[in-house]
Amino acid sequence: MTGKKKNMLLQGGILAGAGLITKLIGFVYRIPMGNMMGEEGNGLYSIAFGIYGIALTISSYSLPLAVSKMISARLAKGEYQNMRTVVSNALVYAVVAGILAMNVLFYGAGALEKLYDNPGLAKPLRVLAPTTFIVALLGVFRGYFQGYGDMVPTSISQILEQIVNAVVSVFATRQFMKLYASSDQVASYGAAGGTFGTLAGALVALVFMGYLFSSSRKQFMNKGNPNEKLESSKHVYKALFLTIIPVVLSQTIYQIGFTIDDLMFSNIMPLRGYSDKIKTALLGVYNTQYNQLVNLPVAIATSMAASTIPSIVLSRMQNDMQGVHDKITQVIKVNMVIAFPSAVGLSVLADPIMQMLFPRLVTYRYQAILLMLTGSSAIVFYALSTLTTSVLQGNNFMKLPVIHSSISLAIHVVLLGILLYFTDLNVYALVICNVLFPLVISIMNCRAITQKVGYRWEYRDTFLKPLLASAVMGVVAFALYQVLYLAFDNIYVAAVIAIGTAIIVYGVTILQIRCFSDEELESIPGGRKLTHLVR
């Protein structure tokens, strides 16, 4: 395997590893925080984050991808002055978009509380408002380093951000709930305390990335190319917006899907006779006990996607289409090998996992378990839709993911409205549509990659073999847990042993059925030992 491919996998692995670590930290602190806030507090917290997610997407989520894509394209041609212009223009965009999003979120919090019909929602929204401005600037710095193919600064900043977030969130939630224990909006104050950690973490990460950028500024400013054809500021701004806007739209559509779910559920459920507390509690179960678990493995796909775009752009600029196809195969296969067992494992061990992670949230535990059984397959489809979107964007098909996401969102909204209003599915309607949304996008994206990029899918190695190994793992994990629980009458002992055994069984099965070639195994850390083991 060439050095470039190894470097792509290494950098992708670094960013994916950081994404996994941050999600794990997120789980660790969300467990005590979620148990402290209760179902109603979790509901307000999750709704606030859904709204914040849209503002954040517009002001910052698109920037690392867009900036890294533009920088990598200019680096490939040695256009250093144009690259500097991209960074300065992106910072201007970040400042304007961040300030706009911050003001809309802060001053519109009261109106949003009324729109969502959830008393107390304004408090966590106002705490989150300044975070949109901070993360917008942070996105430019991260995109700059990613454009160079260096994922380490982004990875360290993400971990640092999440550690600060975790410590401050748990502490602030506890203090706010103690301070306002006698208030009838104690759940709202608890949610506000949780969001305060997000603000603190983002601020620390911005200081860290700003320091790294400032340290590299000398090298950044001194590079030059006498043969470089300078782009006008107007041309760079146009290119920047043409790159940012499709990414913003595609990412925003993803995020809008989540907050539309909250909005529709909050307004339709009272028409079905549900009280404010029950509907908010059900949303808390869905977003905290289901979505948080599902999003953990999806974070790996998101991180790998961020590292894939600059690498694909570079290969395409060099007219190396075989390199483009090899990178598509590698990144999707690695993610499917993670996504399939994650979905199966969460499904077959949903009961003990919910009991271990959320011991104090017992009122709706049955619903939480059933949600996971119904919707764990969303892990596979979200991972695939995220990666295929990045593949299309990396190959300059910027509009297609937006179109596909829009079509899927329209189907999602119509079906959700029908299920909520005309059936008794309540929160289960959310999980059904949550699976359908990425599934439709994945189908359309995969079809477009075949037609537009000329890519030939390796269905057996990429999808069927990980599915088969996951099925074997699932049977072993479920059976072993049941036996151990009967023997020890302790969910912790039974679950830990079952999970550890399942990981070993899955790893051995994946190697045994030769999901990866020797060349692919050797490209990953410890790959030579794995190759020897297989032989």
Side-chain angles (χ1 to χ4, degrees):
M1 179 166 288
T2 66
K4 289 180 181 178
K5 292 178 187 175
K6 288 184 178 180
N7 185 62
M8 183 204 74
L9 287 176
L10 175 62
Q11 294 297 329
I14 290 172
L15 199 57
L20 180 58
I21 291 171
T22 57
K23 280 294 181 181
L24 286 171
I25 295 172
F27 272 115
V28 170
Y29 86 80
R30 283 295 300 272
I31 292 167
M33 192 178 77
N35 282 292
M36 280 190 287
M37 287 194 296
E39 284 91 350
E40 186 181 357
N42 284 321
L44 290 171
Y45 180 87
S46 62
I47 295 170
F49 254 87
I51 298 169
Y52 161 74
I54 295 178
L56 200 63
T57 299
I58 295 171
S59 62
S60 66
Y61 270 175
S62 62
L63 283 171
L65 288 173
V67 171
S68 67
K69 183 176 186 293
M70 294 186 68
I71 285 179
S72 62
R74 282 151 184 79
L75 281 175
K77 296 184 289 186
E79 297 179 351
Y80 300 106
Q81 180 59 44
N82 291 334
M83 182 195 69
R84 288 190 283 270
T85 306
V86 168
V87 174
S88 61
N89 288 349
L91 283 170
V92 172
Y93 171 88
V95 169
V96 174
I99 290 176
L100 179 62
M102 177 177 65
N103 280 280
V104 169
L105 208 57
F106 187 86
Y107 293 107
L112 288 167
E113 181 180 292
K114 293 179 181 178
L115 177 65
Y116 279 78
D117 192 23
N118 274 282
L121 182 60
K123 292 180 180 66
L125 282 177
R126 290 196 175 106
V127 176
L128 286 168
T131 316
T132 55
F133 175 73
I134 294 170
V135 180
L137 297 175
L138 186 59
V140 177
F141 294 139
R142 285 173 172 169
Y144 164 73
F145 286 106
Q146 288 171 204
Y148 269 97
D150 185 2
M151 307 299 165
V152 175
T154 294
S155 300
I156 294 175
S157 71
Q158 287 177 342
I159 295 172
L160 182 64
E161 176 184 2
Q162 193 71 320
I163 290 173
V164 174
N165 186 359
V167 174
V168 175
S169 291
V170 173
F171 177 78
T173 299
R174 183 174 60 187
Q175 293 304 111
F176 277 37
M177 294 196 75
K178 282 184 179 180
L179 188 61
Y180 297 98
S182 60
S183 171
D184 58 353
Q185 288 197 341
V186 61
S188 174
Y189 285 107
T195 56
F196 188 75
T198 307
L199 173 62
L203 183 60
V204 170
L206 177 61
V207 171
F208 173 76
M209 291 297 289
Y211 171 76
L212 290 184
F213 181 77
S214 178
S215 299
S216 66
R217 193 170 182 271
K218 184 176 180 181
Q219 180 183 11
F220 170 70
M221 294 299 294
N222 291 340
K223 283 186 177 180
N225 181 356
N227 299 318
E228 178 179 354
K229 183 179 179 181
L230 298 181
E231 298 175 272
S232 66
S233 182
K234 179 180 178 181
H235 181 270
V236 172
Y237 265 116
K238 181 179 179 182
L240 182 66
F241 278 100
L242 288 176
T243 305
I244 285 177
I245 290 173
V247 178
V248 167
L249 290 175
S250 61
Q251 294 293 324
T252 301
I253 290 170
Y254 268 88
Q255 191 60 46
I256 282 176
F258 293 113
T259 197
I260 283 180
D261 289 352
D262 295 340
L263 180 61
M264 293 179 67
F265 192 86
S266 296
N267 284 278
I268 294 177
M269 284 300 96
L271 302 178
R272 303 283 299 172
Y274 289 77
S275 67
D276 287 343
K277 287 188 178 292
I278 291 178
K279 73 175 184 183
T280 306
L282 286 173
L283 276 177
V285 172
Y286 172 74
N287 286 309
T288 301
Q289 293 168 259
Y290 166 73
N291 261 338
Q292 282 297 308
L293 288 167
V294 166
N295 286 337
L296 176 60
V298 174
I300 299 175
T302 303
S303 301
M304 291 291 284
S307 66
T308 299
I309 285 185
S311 181
I312 288 178
V313 169
L314 183 60
S315 293
R316 187 174 54 80
M317 295 292 293
Q318 296 171 344
N319 293 318
D320 180 15
M321 292 310 297
Q322 184 58 48
V324 171
H325 291 179
D326 289 345
K327 289 166 184 174
I328 294 172
T329 299
Q330 285 281 52
V331 73
I332 292 180
K333 184 185 290 187
V334 168
N335 274 274
M336 291 300 101
V337 165
I338 296 169
F340 275 110
S342 300
V344 172
L346 286 174
S347 178
V348 300
L349 297 178
D351 187 1
I353 287 172
M354 292 299 173
Q355 292 189 58
M356 289 190 298
L357 295 182
F358 306 100
R360 293 177 61 183
L361 303 181
V362 297
T363 307
Y364 296 97
R365 178 168 292 160
Y366 173 77
Q367 285 87 345
I369 293 169
L370 195 54
L371 285 174
M372 189 58 67
L373 289 170
T374 308
S376 63
S377 61
I379 294 171
V380 176
F381 303 132
Y382 270 113
L384 185 59
S385 64
T386 300
L387 290 166
T388 51
T389 292
S390 293
V391 168
L392 288 171
Q393 290 170 343
N395 281 281
N396 239 19
F397 298 105
M398 305 298 290
K399 294 180 181 179
L400 285 176
V402 178
I403 295 171
H404 297 165
S405 299
S406 300
I407 293 171
S408 184
L409 181 62
I411 297 171
H412 172 95
V413 169
V414 172
L415 180 61
L416 181 61
I418 293 172
L419 293 179
L420 287 177
Y421 193 81
F422 294 103
T423 74
D424 294 321
L425 287 171
N426 58 68
V427 73
Y428 303 110
L430 294 176
V431 81
I432 291 170
C433 293
N434 187 58
V435 174
L436 179 67
F437 178 64
L439 173 60
V440 173
I441 295 174
S442 296
I443 292 171
M444 290 189 288
N445 280 357
C446 290
R447 184 170 177 269
I449 289 173
T450 300
Q451 294 178 342
K452 303 294 185 180
V453 185
Y455 178 72
R456 295 182 64 184
W457 293 89
E458 299 179 4
Y459 294 103
R460 186 179 63 175
D461 289 346
T462 304
F463 300 108
L464 295 181
K465 287 184 178 180
L467 177 59
L468 174 62
S470 299
V472 173
M473 178 208 75
V475 171
V476 172
F478 180 78
L480 185 59
Y481 171 77
Q482 298 298 327
V483 171
L484 290 172
Y485 183 71
L486 288 174
F488 296 102
D489 193 27
N490 187 304
I491 61 168
Y492 295 95
V493 172
V496 169
I497 295 176
I499 292 171
T501 304
I503 293 172
I504 296 172
V505 169
Y506 180 72
V508 171
T509 306
I510 279 290
L511 294 175
Q512 187 68 34
I513 62 179
R514 303 303 298 271
C515 184
F516 293 99
S517 66
D518 290 348
E519 184 184 13
E520 289 171 334
L521 282 177
E522 289 177 359
S523 69
I524 63 177
R528 291 186 178 180
K529 292 182 179 180
L530 287 174
T531 304
H532 179 71
L533 179 64
V534 171
R535 289 172 179 169

mmCIF file of all heavy atoms in Angstrom, residues 49-82:
data_model
loop_
_atom_site.group_PDB
_atom_site.id
_atom_site.type_symbol
_atom_site.label_atom_id
_atom_site.label_comp_id
_atom_site.label_asym_id
_atom_site.label_seq_id
_atom_site.Cartn_x
_atom_site.Cartn_y
_atom_site.Cartn_z
ATOM 1 N N PHE A 49 -30.548 21.408 22.451
ATOM 2 C CA PHE A 49 -29.409 21.045 21.624
ATOM 3 C C PHE A 49 -29.803 20.825 20.170
ATOM 4 O O PHE A 49 -28.997 21.056 19.262
ATOM 5 C CB PHE A 49 -28.722 19.792 22.180
ATOM 6 C CG PHE A 49 -27.425 20.106 22.859
ATOM 7 C CD1 PHE A 49 -27.400 20.456 24.193
ATOM 8 C CD2 PHE A 49 -26.241 20.089 22.161
ATOM 9 C CE1 PHE A 49 -26.220 20.771 24.827
ATOM 10 C CE2 PHE A 49 -25.043 20.401 22.775
ATOM 11 C CZ PHE A 49 -25.023 20.741 24.112
ATOM 12 N N GLY A 50 -31.014 20.381 19.931
ATOM 13 C CA GLY A 50 -31.471 20.239 18.551
ATOM 14 C C GLY A 50 -31.555 21.585 17.850
ATOM 15 O O GLY A 50 -31.118 21.736 16.705
ATOM 16 N N ILE A 51 -32.102 22.577 18.535
ATOM 17 C CA ILE A 51 -32.182 23.932 17.980
ATOM 18 C C ILE A 51 -30.786 24.522 17.827
ATOM 19 O O ILE A 51 -30.444 25.115 16.791
ATOM 20 C CB ILE A 51 -33.048 24.830 18.889
ATOM 21 C CG1 ILE A 51 -34.475 24.275 18.958
ATOM 22 C CG2 ILE A 51 -33.062 26.260 18.374
ATOM 23 C CD1 ILE A 51 -35.335 24.933 20.018
ATOM 24 N N TYR A 52 -29.971 24.374 18.859
ATOM 25 C CA TYR A 52 -28.585 24.854 18.827
ATOM 26 C C TYR A 52 -27.813 24.206 17.686
ATOM 27 O O TYR A 52 -26.978 24.846 17.039
ATOM 28 C CB TYR A 52 -27.949 24.538 20.177
ATOM 29 C CG TYR A 52 -26.440 24.528 20.217
ATOM 30 C CD1 TYR A 52 -25.709 25.708 20.170
ATOM 31 C CD2 TYR A 52 -25.755 23.326 20.338
ATOM 32 C CE1 TYR A 52 -24.321 25.689 20.244
ATOM 33 C CE2 TYR A 52 -24.374 23.298 20.410
ATOM 34 C CZ TYR A 52 -23.659 24.474 20.365
ATOM 35 O OH TYR A 52 -22.297 24.451 20.432
ATOM 36 N N GLY A 53 -28.121 22.937 17.417
ATOM 37 C CA GLY A 53 -27.431 22.224 16.341
ATOM 38 C C GLY A 53 -27.633 22.870 14.985
ATOM 39 O O GLY A 53 -26.718 22.909 14.159
ATOM 40 N N ILE A 54 -28.840 23.389 14.732
ATOM 41 C CA ILE A 54 -29.094 24.064 13.458
ATOM 42 C C ILE A 54 -28.271 25.344 13.369
ATOM 43 O O ILE A 54 -27.610 25.616 12.357
ATOM 44 C CB ILE A 54 -30.595 24.386 13.317
ATOM 45 C CG1 ILE A 54 -31.405 23.099 13.242
ATOM 46 C CG2 ILE A 54 -30.839 25.231 12.066
ATOM 47 C CD1 ILE A 54 -32.889 23.317 13.157
ATOM 48 N N ALA A 55 -28.292 26.145 14.442
ATOM 49 C CA ALA A 55 -27.505 27.380 14.455
ATOM 50 C C ALA A 55 -26.018 27.074 14.309
ATOM 51 O O ALA A 55 -25.288 27.766 13.590
ATOM 52 C CB ALA A 55 -27.766 28.136 15.762
ATOM 53 N N LEU A 56 -25.580 26.010 14.955
ATOM 54 C CA LEU A 56 -24.172 25.628 14.895
ATOM 55 C C LEU A 56 -23.789 25.132 13.511
ATOM 56 O O LEU A 56 -22.696 25.414 13.013
ATOM 57 C CB LEU A 56 -23.907 24.530 15.927
ATOM 58 C CG LEU A 56 -22.466 24.311 16.366
ATOM 59 C CD1 LEU A 56 -21.938 25.548 17.063
ATOM 60 C CD2 LEU A 56 -22.380 23.105 17.282
ATOM 61 N N THR A 57 -24.687 24.417 12.869
ATOM 62 C CA THR A 57 -24.422 23.916 11.524
ATOM 63 C C THR A 57 -24.222 25.061 10.549
ATOM 64 O O THR A 57 -23.298 25.061 9.736
ATOM 65 C CB THR A 57 -25.581 23.023 11.045
ATOM 66 O OG1 THR A 57 -25.704 21.905 11.933
ATOM 67 C CG2 THR A 57 -25.339 22.510 9.640
ATOM 68 N N ILE A 58 -25.085 26.057 10.622
ATOM 69 C CA ILE A 58 -24.987 27.206 9.718
ATOM 70 C C ILE A 58 -23.700 27.988 9.957
ATOM 71 O O ILE A 58 -23.039 28.429 9.018
ATOM 72 C CB ILE A 58 -26.218 28.116 9.890
ATOM 73 C CG1 ILE A 58 -27.487 27.380 9.451
ATOM 74 C CG2 ILE A 58 -26.057 29.410 9.102
ATOM 75 C CD1 ILE A 58 -28.771 28.103 9.769
ATOM 76 N N SER A 59 -23.325 28.132 11.233
ATOM 77 C CA SER A 59 -22.191 28.997 11.547
ATOM 78 C C SER A 59 -20.858 28.278 11.592
ATOM 79 O O SER A 59 -19.818 28.927 11.465
ATOM 80 C CB SER A 59 -22.431 29.690 12.900
ATOM 81 O OG SER A 59 -22.528 28.729 13.935
ATOM 82 N N SER A 60 -20.847 26.940 11.770
ATOM 83 C CA SER A 60 -19.545 26.313 11.989
ATOM 84 C C SER A 60 -19.374 24.898 11.477
ATOM 85 O O SER A 60 -18.283 24.539 11.028
ATOM 86 C CB SER A 60 -19.231 26.312 13.491
ATOM 87 O OG SER A 60 -20.140 25.473 14.170
ATOM 88 N N TYR A 61 -20.389 24.035 11.544
ATOM 89 C CA TYR A 61 -20.178 22.634 11.195
ATOM 90 C C TYR A 61 -19.642 22.468 9.773
ATOM 91 O O TYR A 61 -18.866 21.576 9.487
ATOM 92 C CB TYR A 61 -21.489 21.839 11.335
ATOM 93 C CG TYR A 61 -21.713 21.245 12.697
ATOM 94 C CD1 TYR A 61 -22.898 20.589 12.997
ATOM 95 C CD2 TYR A 61 -20.746 21.343 13.698
ATOM 96 C CE1 TYR A 61 -23.124 20.042 14.253
ATOM 97 C CE2 TYR A 61 -20.964 20.811 14.954
ATOM 98 C CZ TYR A 61 -22.148 20.155 15.217
ATOM 99 O OH TYR A 61 -22.370 19.621 16.459
ATOM 100 N N SER A 62 -20.064 23.336 8.883
ATOM 101 C CA SER A 62 -19.633 23.227 7.494
ATOM 102 C C SER A 62 -18.209 23.702 7.281
ATOM 103 O O SER A 62 -17.556 23.316 6.314
ATOM 104 C CB SER A 62 -20.560 24.061 6.606
ATOM 105 O OG SER A 62 -20.478 25.430 6.981
ATOM 106 N N LEU A 63 -17.706 24.537 8.186
ATOM 107 C CA LEU A 63 -16.429 25.202 7.944
ATOM 108 C C LEU A 63 -15.218 24.258 7.910
ATOM 109 O O LEU A 63 -14.380 24.383 7.017
ATOM 110 C CB LEU A 63 -16.216 26.317 8.972
ATOM 111 C CG LEU A 63 -17.024 27.586 8.685
ATOM 112 C CD1 LEU A 63 -16.938 28.557 9.855
ATOM 113 C CD2 LEU A 63 -16.559 28.259 7.407
ATOM 114 N N PRO A 64 -15.065 23.328 8.836
ATOM 115 C CA PRO A 64 -13.905 22.436 8.729
ATOM 116 C C PRO A 64 -13.866 21.679 7.409
ATOM 117 O O PRO A 64 -12.806 21.572 6.771
ATOM 118 C CB PRO A 64 -14.081 21.485 9.914
ATOM 119 C CG PRO A 64 -14.880 22.264 10.905
ATOM 120 C CD PRO A 64 -15.822 23.089 10.084
ATOM 121 N N LEU A 65 -15.020 21.169 6.971
ATOM 122 C CA LEU A 65 -15.070 20.437 5.701
ATOM 123 C C LEU A 65 -14.787 21.356 4.518
ATOM 124 O O LEU A 65 -13.968 21.036 3.644
ATOM 125 C CB LEU A 65 -16.438 19.780 5.531
ATOM 126 C CG LEU A 65 -16.743 18.574 6.416
ATOM 127 C CD1 LEU A 65 -18.192 18.159 6.247
ATOM 128 C CD2 LEU A 65 -15.828 17.408 6.080
ATOM 129 N N ALA A 66 -15.469 22.498 4.486
ATOM 130 C CA ALA A 66 -15.323 23.404 3.352
ATOM 131 C C ALA A 66 -13.919 24.008 3.284
ATOM 132 O O ALA A 66 -13.297 24.046 2.212
ATOM 133 C CB ALA A 66 -16.372 24.517 3.448
ATOM 134 N N VAL A 67 -13.408 24.470 4.415
ATOM 135 C CA VAL A 67 -12.077 25.079 4.435
ATOM 136 C C VAL A 67 -11.005 24.060 4.093
ATOM 137 O O VAL A 67 -10.084 24.330 3.318
ATOM 138 C CB VAL A 67 -11.800 25.732 5.810
ATOM 139 C CG1 VAL A 67 -10.347 26.184 5.921
ATOM 140 C CG2 VAL A 67 -12.737 26.914 6.028
ATOM 141 N N SER A 68 -11.109 22.856 4.652
ATOM 142 C CA SER A 68 -10.106 21.827 4.358
ATOM 143 C C SER A 68 -10.126 21.440 2.884
ATOM 144 O O SER A 68 -9.071 21.218 2.276
ATOM 145 C CB SER A 68 -10.344 20.586 5.227
ATOM 146 O OG SER A 68 -11.557 19.945 4.890
ATOM 147 N N LYS A 69 -11.305 21.399 2.281
ATOM 148 C CA LYS A 69 -11.423 21.066 0.865
ATOM 149 C C LYS A 69 -10.750 22.131 -0.003
ATOM 150 O O LYS A 69 -9.991 21.814 -0.930
ATOM 151 C CB LYS A 69 -12.890 20.928 0.480
ATOM 152 C CG LYS A 69 -13.141 20.501 -0.960
ATOM 153 C CD LYS A 69 -14.641 20.303 -1.197
ATOM 154 C CE LYS A 69 -14.901 19.744 -2.594
ATOM 155 N NZ LYS A 69 -14.574 20.679 -3.659
ATOM 156 N N MET A 70 -10.999 23.398 0.301
ATOM 157 C CA MET A 70 -10.431 24.477 -0.498
ATOM 158 C C MET A 70 -8.922 24.594 -0.300
ATOM 159 O O MET A 70 -8.172 24.837 -1.245
ATOM 160 C CB MET A 70 -11.116 25.795 -0.149
ATOM 161 C CG MET A 70 -12.591 25.836 -0.536
ATOM 162 S SD MET A 70 -13.332 27.453 -0.271
ATOM 163 C CE MET A 70 -12.490 28.419 -1.518
ATOM 164 N N ILE A 71 -8.461 24.413 0.929
ATOM 165 C CA ILE A 71 -7.027 24.504 1.193
ATOM 166 C C ILE A 71 -6.275 23.355 0.532
ATOM 167 O O ILE A 71 -5.216 23.555 -0.081
ATOM 168 C CB ILE A 71 -6.766 24.527 2.715
ATOM 169 C CG1 ILE A 71 -7.147 25.905 3.268
ATOM 170 C CG2 ILE A 71 -5.303 24.221 3.033
ATOM 171 C CD1 ILE A 71 -6.959 26.042 4.762
ATOM 172 N N SER A 72 -6.795 22.135 0.648
ATOM 173 C CA SER A 72 -6.110 20.985 0.049
ATOM 174 C C SER A 72 -6.030 21.125 -1.468
ATOM 175 O O SER A 72 -5.024 20.745 -2.082
ATOM 176 C CB SER A 72 -6.822 19.688 0.429
ATOM 177 O OG SER A 72 -8.152 19.672 -0.055
ATOM 178 N N ALA A 73 -7.067 21.695 -2.089
ATOM 179 C CA ALA A 73 -7.054 21.890 -3.541
ATOM 180 C C ALA A 73 -5.972 22.882 -3.949
ATOM 181 O O ALA A 73 -5.284 22.700 -4.964
ATOM 182 C CB ALA A 73 -8.427 22.371 -4.020
ATOM 183 N N ARG A 74 -5.780 23.953 -3.168
ATOM 184 C CA ARG A 74 -4.756 24.956 -3.510
ATOM 185 C C ARG A 74 -3.351 24.480 -3.152
ATOM 186 O O ARG A 74 -2.390 24.813 -3.827
ATOM 187 C CB ARG A 74 -5.107 26.277 -2.813
ATOM 188 C CG ARG A 74 -6.220 27.015 -3.565
ATOM 189 C CD ARG A 74 -7.093 27.880 -2.688
ATOM 190 N NE ARG A 74 -8.177 28.461 -3.493
ATOM 191 C CZ ARG A 74 -9.283 27.805 -3.844
ATOM 192 N NH1 ARG A 74 -9.454 26.542 -3.483
ATOM 193 N NH2 ARG A 74 -10.206 28.393 -4.581
ATOM 194 N N LEU A 75 -3.231 23.699 -2.089
ATOM 195 C CA LEU A 75 -1.930 23.131 -1.757
ATOM 196 C C LEU A 75 -1.448 22.176 -2.841
ATOM 197 O O LEU A 75 -0.247 22.104 -3.139
ATOM 198 C CB LEU A 75 -2.010 22.387 -0.415
ATOM 199 C CG LEU A 75 -1.972 23.231 0.854
ATOM 200 C CD1 LEU A 75 -2.177 22.347 2.063
ATOM 201 C CD2 LEU A 75 -0.663 23.988 0.961
ATOM 202 N N ALA A 76 -2.388 21.435 -3.426
ATOM 203 C CA ALA A 76 -2.018 20.492 -4.485
ATOM 204 C C ALA A 76 -1.405 21.208 -5.679
ATOM 205 O O ALA A 76 -0.594 20.638 -6.415
ATOM 206 C CB ALA A 76 -3.256 19.702 -4.933
ATOM 207 N N LYS A 77 -1.768 22.492 -5.875
ATOM 208 C CA LYS A 77 -1.227 23.269 -6.991
ATOM 209 C C LYS A 77 -0.165 24.273 -6.532
ATOM 210 O O LYS A 77 0.308 25.074 -7.331
ATOM 211 C CB LYS A 77 -2.375 24.023 -7.685
ATOM 212 C CG LYS A 77 -3.408 23.091 -8.325
ATOM 213 C CD LYS A 77 -4.473 23.852 -9.093
ATOM 214 C CE LYS A 77 -5.407 24.582 -8.167
ATOM 215 N NZ LYS A 77 -6.537 25.226 -8.896
ATOM 216 N N GLY A 78 0.202 24.235 -5.251
ATOM 217 C CA GLY A 78 1.220 25.140 -4.734
ATOM 218 C C GLY A 78 0.781 26.591 -4.676
ATOM 219 O O GLY A 78 1.608 27.501 -4.749
ATOM 220 N N GLU A 79 -0.518 26.829 -4.501
ATOM 221 C CA GLU A 79 -1.054 28.197 -4.477
ATOM 222 C C GLU A 79 -1.174 28.676 -3.027
ATOM 223 O O GLU A 79 -2.250 28.687 -2.433
ATOM 224 C CB GLU A 79 -2.406 28.247 -5.185
ATOM 225 C CG GLU A 79 -2.323 27.880 -6.661
ATOM 226 C CD GLU A 79 -3.678 27.922 -7.347
ATOM 227 O OE1 GLU A 79 -4.700 28.070 -6.648
ATOM 228 O OE2 GLU A 79 -3.708 27.789 -8.590
ATOM 229 N N TYR A 80 -0.060 29.114 -2.453
ATOM 230 C CA TYR A 80 -0.016 29.465 -1.036
ATOM 231 C C TYR A 80 -0.707 30.793 -0.738
ATOM 232 O O TYR A 80 -1.366 30.943 0.300
ATOM 233 C CB TYR A 80 1.441 29.499 -0.563
ATOM 234 C CG TYR A 80 2.134 28.173 -0.726
ATOM 235 C CD1 TYR A 80 3.085 27.978 -1.734
ATOM 236 C CD2 TYR A 80 1.834 27.096 0.106
ATOM 237 C CE1 TYR A 80 3.714 26.752 -1.895
ATOM 238 C CE2 TYR A 80 2.460 25.867 -0.051
ATOM 239 C CZ TYR A 80 3.401 25.703 -1.049
ATOM 240 O OH TYR A 80 4.010 24.488 -1.213
ATOM 241 N N GLN A 81 -0.557 31.768 -1.621
ATOM 242 C CA GLN A 81 -1.222 33.049 -1.396
ATOM 243 C C GLN A 81 -2.741 32.887 -1.477
ATOM 244 O O GLN A 81 -3.481 33.464 -0.671
ATOM 245 C CB GLN A 81 -0.754 34.081 -2.428
ATOM 246 C CG GLN A 81 -1.389 35.456 -2.271
ATOM 247 C CD GLN A 81 -1.112 36.073 -0.913
ATOM 248 O OE1 GLN A 81 0.005 36.031 -0.413
ATOM 249 N NE2 GLN A 81 -2.147 36.638 -0.299
ATOM 250 N N ASN A 82 -3.193 32.107 -2.435
ATOM 251 C CA ASN A 82 -4.631 31.852 -2.541
ATOM 252 C C ASN A 82 -5.146 31.095 -1.316
ATOM 253 O O ASN A 82 -6.270 31.320 -0.861
ATOM 254 C CB ASN A 82 -4.934 31.059 -3.808
ATOM 255 C CG ASN A 82 -4.701 31.868 -5.064
ATOM 256 O OD1 ASN A 82 -4.780 33.101 -5.043
ATOM 257 N ND2 ASN A 82 -4.395 31.200 -6.170
#
